[in-house]
Amino acid sequence: DSGVTQTPKHLITATGQRVTLRCSPRSGDLSVYWYQQSLDQGLQFLIQYYNGEERAKGNILERFSAQQFPDLHSELNLSSLELGDSALYFCASSVVSGSRTGELFFGEGSRLTVL
Amino acid sequence: GENVEQHPSTLSVQEGDSAVIKCTYSDSASNYFPWYKQELGKRPQLIIDIRSNVGEKKDQRIAVTLNKTAKHFSLHITETQPEDSAVYFCAATHNNNDMRFGAGTRLTVKP
């Protein structure tokens, strides 16, 4: 158990719909990262938050948005879903010590299937 | 932003042989280089990492080397075992910035 909790674990929805994925980081971790992993593909960086603020943005589509709340949990919102959005979405958190990045701890992922 | 390239994409070795996976990075400011192992259907987990102030780090059968001048780093697994079969990802980052991963290497260790 990494200490990072993601919900839901599985989600099946239709094209055009909107879903929200939730992530609770490890206690004390201020940085939260979102990654997309399509079938047999790599880890595509979507977005990073640090202590409530957006820190870095990767290849995140305009249909996707995210935020980190004051209690440090994060949500990834995916709208106008397309078949190609089907993937495993990972959240990861890390502690940052004096601006040094530490180990990323990954959640179990949320598997999204768009039909 | 940082760009990490990883080779090979697949690697098959006999049990007991060594395996080497190589990565290059583009941002000379990167100073933290972790390696993650992802078993089938599971989350990625850190197996070893190295910071730019050292050139090599070992942990039992696993070692990582870093060449800052050439901007490349490698993972070395010795005496491979079937349980080493997985997808391995390298990554690079600096100072709490986004962590970019390589495309992954699928390692198969044949008994």
Side-chain angles (χ1 to χ4, degrees), chain A residues 1-6 23-26 29 91-93 105-108:
Chain A
D1 183 9
S2 66
V4 178
T5 303
Q6 288 188 248
C23 170
S24 293
R26 291 189 326 152
D29 285 357
C91 168
S93 73
F105 291 87
F106 284 82
E108 298 294 327

Side-chain angles (χ1 to χ4, degrees), chain A residues 49-89:
Chain A
Y49 284 87
Y50 177 71
N51 202 19
E53 301 289 328
E54 182 182 303
R55 177 76 183 182
K57 186 177 280 191
N59 301 322
I60 188 167
L61 300 172
E62 286 190 8
R63 301 183 285 107
F64 297 181
S65 65
Q67 60 185 124
Q68 186 179 30
F69 295 86
D71 66 353
L72 301 179
H73 91 273
S74 179
E75 293 181 357
L76 178 66
N77 302 295
L78 316 175
S79 62
S80 302
L81 286 168
E82 302 176 358
L83 296 178
D85 297 329
S86 295
L88 187 55
Y89 291 84

Side-chain angles (χ1 to χ4, degrees), chain A residues 1-2 31 33 35 37 40-43 45 48 50 55-58 90 96 99-104 106-108, chain B residues 31-32 36 38 40-46 49 51 53 89 93-104 106:
Chain A
D1 183 9
S2 66
S31 268
Y33 305 73
Y35 290 89
Q37 186 173 45
D40 287 339
Q41 298 295 311
L43 296 161
F45 171 70
Q48 177 199 1
Y50 177 71
R55 177 76 183 182
K57 186 177 280 191
F90 281 109
V96 178
S99 83
R100 277 164 50 115
T101 302
E103 174 182 354
L104 261 61
F106 284 82
E108 298 294 327
Chain B
N31 58 11
Y32 177 61
Y36 285 79
Q38 186 178 27
L40 190 63
K42 298 193 174 181
R43 59 187 169 89
Q45 290 187 273
L46 180 76
D49 57 10
R51 295 193 185 270
N53 57 341
F89 293 98
T93 188
H94 70 279
N95 298 345
N96 191 26
N97 286 297
D98 54 307
M99 189 169 299
R100 301 290 177 135
F101 285 82
R106 184 175 299 279

Side-chain angles (χ1 to χ4, degrees), chain B:
Chain B
E2 177 65 271
N3 182 47
V4 179
E5 295 191 355
Q6 182 173 345
H7 300 279
S9 57
T10 61
L11 180 59
S12 181
V13 300
Q14 288 295 136
E15 182 177 359
D17 287 350
S18 295
V20 180
I21 303 171
K22 299 181 179 181
C23 290
T24 60
Y25 61 99
S26 62
D27 190 345
S28 57
S30 288
N31 58 11
Y32 177 61
F33 308 92
W35 286 88
Y36 285 79
K37 175 183 181 181
Q38 186 178 27
E39 296 178 352
L40 190 63
K42 298 193 174 181
R43 59 187 169 89
Q45 290 187 273
L46 180 76
I47 55 171
I48 195 168
D49 57 10
I50 191 169
R51 295 193 185 270
S52 59
N53 57 341
V54 297
E56 184 175 3
K57 183 177 179 180
K58 287 184 179 180
D59 182 3
Q60 300 183 343
R61 297 186 297 108
I62 294 173
V64 56
T65 59
L66 171 64
N67 183 326
K68 287 177 57 179
T69 303
K71 289 192 282 188
H72 68 70
F73 56 112
S74 300
L75 177 71
H76 304 254
I77 306 175
T78 59
E79 300 173 20
T80 54
Q81 301 167 3
E83 52 264 38
D84 294 329
S85 295
V87 179
Y88 292 81
F89 293 98
C90 62
T93 188
H94 70 279
N95 298 345
N96 191 26
N97 286 297
D98 54 307
M99 189 169 299
R100 301 290 177 135
F101 285 82
T105 297
R106 184 175 299 279
L107 173 65
T108 302
V109 180
K110 300 177 180 179

